[in-house]
Amino acid sequence: MDILIKPTLKLFISFAILMVQYGNAERVPALFVFGDSLVDVGNNNFLNSIAKSNYFPYGIDFNMQPTGRFCNGKTFVDIIGEMLGVPYPSPFADPNTAGVKLLGGVNYASAAAGILDESGQHYGERYSLRQQVLNFETTLDQLRTMMGHDNLTSFLAKSIAISVFGSNDYINNYLMPSIYSSSFNYNPAQFSNLLLNRYAPQLLTLYNLGIRKMFIAGIGPLGCIPNQRATGQAAPGRCVDYVNDILGTFNQGLKSLVDQLNKRPGAIVTYGNTYGAVGDILNNPSTYGFNVVEKGCCGIGRNQGQITCLPFAYPCTNRDQYVFWDAFHPTQAANVILARRAFYGPPLDTYPLNIQQMTLIH
């Protein structure tokens, strides 16, 4: 005789199994990801945006499947998730991201998104930082219904949030004076302070909503990405120093913000020194197995960076030897190194703790 199980009971049983699988066997039950195209896993596929990567050759090394990841293979957060033993968090915008799927976490990241609402607006729809935090609140409402208030509090305290923001506020705002007025209204130090003053309240909101463990990535050396080298503002083989120089105030301020957040009860927040880690790769490429640092594996024009990777373009074949996949984003090979440094690295890479150390604190 078949036993009929009510849908709500099925959900509860599934939840119980997953909590045993992830909540007990693993120190970290879920990963919540906020950010831009460096960590987007397909949210923009569902938005009215031209900032998309749901076409070949994106995903050529991800089972030959373009998923909306802006990479030839795995992103930084894919690799961190594997190290933590959690499933790849599904994109928030996917209608199938509901129910049991929420228990491994959710990815809210959106290509072209910035800390400022207006950053990247010339690409069309995107989830800005502010909207991503609102989307997280929507997820929490669903999780609260599934597991109850007390279980949710414990679940969130053990989970890890990763936040990767700021690049688009520069390359798709401040450094684009033909479209955005910010560089006329603010000098570089003022602009970085504006970003930090908008970023801080949103990170505090995540804390107030129950997140306790956060990895907050700084901005990498944007003056070295193929898109910026392709502007011709620097000599061949050189990065655009002005672009790199204006990022210092933001990164230092973000590190100070981490110190402030860590004064709150139970907060375990860490700063990822993306600038230093990527800079080390670019300065010592052969140490890491790279031999092409100045151009993208897939792109058109100077440095393969004037026009980014187009549908069905032919990418380079030696992708593991390239630091950059397209005009803006690292290859999977570079992401593996960055993820390892974030997970295992010393305080110079990830301050004051690395991700592995974060997981050991209860």
Side-chain angles (χ1 to χ4, degrees):
M1 182 177 117
D2 291 335
I3 299 172
L4 294 174
I5 301 176
K6 293 181 179 178
T8 50
L9 185 56
K10 273 186 180 174
L11 193 61
F12 178 79
I13 292 168
S14 299
F15 164 64
I17 292 168
L18 272 158
M19 286 302 278
V20 169
Q21 188 178 346
Y22 297 119
N24 298 334
E26 301 294 343
R27 286 184 290 265
V28 177
L31 192 58
F32 294 96
V33 180
F34 305 86
D36 53 31
S37 57
L38 291 168
V39 288
D40 186 352
V41 295
N43 277 302
N44 276 34
N45 294 353
F46 300 91
L47 301 180
N48 186 16
S49 168
I50 58 172
K52 294 186 181 184
S53 59
N54 55 345
Y55 55 82
F56 196 79
Y58 286 94
I60 188 171
D61 298 309
F62 197 88
N63 299 323
M64 294 288 283
Q65 290 181 333
T67 57
R69 287 166 169 81
F70 287 75
C71 189
N72 59 304
K74 296 170 186 173
T75 68
F76 170 81
V77 290
D78 289 330
I79 300 155
I80 293 292
E82 288 176 356
M83 290 172 162
L84 292 170
V86 298
Y88 294 155
S90 300
F92 172 83
D94 186 338
N96 295 314
T97 303
V100 173
K101 270 197 172 183
L102 304 178
L103 296 171
V106 177
N107 186 311
Y108 306 91
S110 176
I115 294 167
L116 303 179
D117 284 349
E118 61 268 26
S119 294
Q121 65 186 5
H122 61 286
Y123 283 104
E125 285 183 336
R126 66 246 168 273
Y127 293 143
S128 65
L129 165 64
R130 184 179 60 84
Q131 186 60 52
Q132 289 183 37
V133 174
L134 290 172
N135 292 345
F136 176 61
E137 293 189 49
T138 301
T139 301
L140 292 189
D141 289 340
Q142 294 173 271
L143 286 171
R144 198 173 289 109
T145 302
M146 290 167 64
M147 64 175 77
H149 178 78
D150 290 347
N151 282 336
L152 178 60
T153 300
S154 173
F155 173 80
L156 291 176
K158 293 175 187 172
S159 299
I160 288 180
I162 293 179
S163 186
V164 181
F165 274 104
S167 296
N168 286 311
D169 296 292
Y170 285 95
I171 54 177
N172 286 310
N173 186 331
Y174 196 75
L175 296 171
M176 209 173 259
S178 60
I179 299 178
Y180 300 92
S181 61
S182 54
S183 61
F184 303 111
N185 298 330
Y186 305 96
N187 66 34
Q190 291 169 335
F191 187 68
S192 65
N193 285 329
L194 172 69
L195 296 181
L196 291 164
N197 287 333
R198 296 283 180 86
Y199 206 174
Q202 298 298 340
L203 293 172
L204 198 53
T205 298
L206 292 180
Y207 171 85
N208 290 334
L209 290 169
I211 290 289
R212 292 293 175 267
K213 298 179 179 182
M214 286 187 253
F215 176 89
I216 304 170
I219 303 176
L222 297 176
C224 300
I225 66 174
N227 163 267
Q228 289 298 305
R229 290 184 193 250
T231 61
Q233 295 177 59
R238 294 282 305 167
C239 299
V240 183
D241 290 336
Y242 163 74
V243 173
N244 285 342
D245 291 344
I246 66 174
L247 304 175
T249 312
F250 176 83
N251 282 332
Q252 279 302 118
L254 195 58
K255 192 175 178 184
S256 299
L257 179 56
V258 163
D259 282 332
Q260 293 300 313
L261 289 167
N262 276 325
K263 292 177 182 175
R264 298 194 169 261
I268 306 164
V269 185
T270 192
Y271 165 75
N273 181 12
T274 314
Y275 192 99
V278 175
D280 186 32
I281 293 169
L282 295 175
N283 289 328
N284 306 287
S286 59
T287 306
Y288 297 97
F290 298 110
N291 58 27
V292 185
V293 299
E294 78 287 351
K295 61 184 181 179
C297 169
C298 185
I300 296 171
R302 186 189 292 134
N303 297 94
Q304 274 74 57
Q306 286 177 293
I307 298 174
T308 199
C309 192
L310 294 173
F312 299 101
Y314 287 100
C316 65
T317 53
N318 53 337
R319 292 180 286 280
D320 285 349
Q321 294 173 28
Y322 277 67
V323 174
F324 294 102
W325 159 246
D326 61 12
F328 302 96
H329 307 98
T331 55
Q332 173 178 280
N335 281 331
V336 167
I337 294 162
L338 296 175
R340 284 179 181 160
R341 291 180 79 144
F343 202 84
Y344 300 114
L348 184 64
D349 284 341
T350 171
Y351 166 88
L353 302 170
N354 60 39
I355 292 176
Q356 185 183 45
Q357 290 165 332
M358 288 172 73
T359 67
L360 298 173
I361 300 172
H362 297 288

